[in-house]
Amino acid sequence: MGCRISFLKTLLIILNVLLSLIGVTLIALSVFELNSSTPGTFEHIAVVVQIFVGSFVVLSSFLGCFAAGRVSLGLIWSFVTCMLILISLQIYIIAAAHSTDYVQRARTDFLALWADQRRGIERIEYLEQNYACCGKNGPQDYILQGGAYPLSCYRNKERIYSQLFSGGCVEAVEAHATENVTNGLIIKWLLLVVELCALISATHLGITVRNKLRRERF
């Protein structure tokens, strides 16, 4: 019994360390994406939700480590409850991610910006510099509008023709969204697997400790 409890404690601590690392990674990636997303868009809201989930994961992992270290039934069952909430939320998020076309939404959001360039000029300039793109479909879009290439269409904002971005921002935004979706799904599935393992380990530890306490009473 003592060896089993020690093994489960060690396993639970290891799983919670993994949870905290994944949670911190999710928060870091989400904060990075938050800076490159347009406030009020679906992508922006999804990133904020990811930050909340990542924070909850990190806090829950601390609770799990503390529960395993103290071998406290109350803390263990509290951690199990947190895992059940996280797993339910994670399943919903994964289902939503698979059923939502983030690439199309990213395209739609950029086209809305381009349609109202006066209000979205700063955002467009930011995207052009960060995604190394120019215009909607290419630099020619500015010429067709009767204007010149803005500085944001040049690498390091140096008005040199060889530094002009040749690709359009619609394609760049779609490529960026595709990469984010792939990376996000990998992290989400990995997080779900570790959460399930932590839930099973914590439940097993809780039952084992409870049975031990019952035997000691008699």
Side-chain angles (χ1 to χ4, degrees), residues 1-13 16 62-80 201-214 216-217:
M1 182 70 70
C3 292
R4 182 187 299 177
I5 291 177
S6 296
F7 171 76
L8 290 172
K9 282 174 54 180
T10 303
L11 179 61
L12 189 57
I13 290 173
N16 276 287
F62 290 157
L63 174 62
C65 288
F66 192 58
R70 292 289 300 274
V71 196
S72 167
L73 273 179
L75 292 175
I76 290 172
W77 294 131
S78 296
F79 175 73
V80 168
S201 299
T203 303
H204 195 182
L205 178 61
I207 293 173
T208 303
V209 172
R210 184 189 62 187
N211 292 339
K212 180 184 177 182
L213 292 175
R214 284 180 177 176
E216 290 175 350
R217 290 175 185 173

Side-chain angles (χ1 to χ4, degrees), residues 98-186:
H98 280 286
S99 62
T100 303
D101 192 345
Y102 288 99
V103 177
Q104 181 58 41
R105 285 183 178 271
R107 175 188 176 88
T108 301
D109 290 339
F110 178 78
L111 291 178
L113 276 177
W114 186 258
D116 190 5
Q117 293 181 42
R118 288 186 178 180
R119 294 182 59 184
I121 184 63
E122 291 183 1
R123 185 64 191 164
I124 292 173
E125 290 177 351
Y126 175 84
L127 292 175
E128 286 175 334
Q129 277 292 297
N130 280 270
Y131 293 171
C133 60
C134 183
K136 183 174 70 172
N137 298 307
Q140 67 276 5
D141 290 328
Y142 288 106
I143 303 302
L144 293 174
Q145 291 178 349
Y149 305 137
L151 277 177
S152 56
C153 278
Y154 294 88
R155 193 177 307 278
N156 299 322
K157 293 188 175 182
E158 297 179 357
R159 198 178 289 278
I160 303 173
Y161 187 77
S162 60
Q163 300 293 323
L164 180 67
F165 300 133
S166 58
C169 286
V170 169
E171 183 179 352
V173 165
E174 290 178 343
H176 183 72
T178 301
E179 181 181 358
N180 286 343
V181 169
T182 302
N183 293 336
L185 284 175
I186 291 173

Side-chain angles (χ1 to χ4, degrees), residues 16 20 52-65 79 82:
N16 276 287
S20 65
F52 168 76
V53 171
S55 302
F56 193 14
V57 167
V58 173
L59 292 175
S60 297
S61 68
F62 290 157
L63 174 62
C65 288
F79 175 73
C82 289

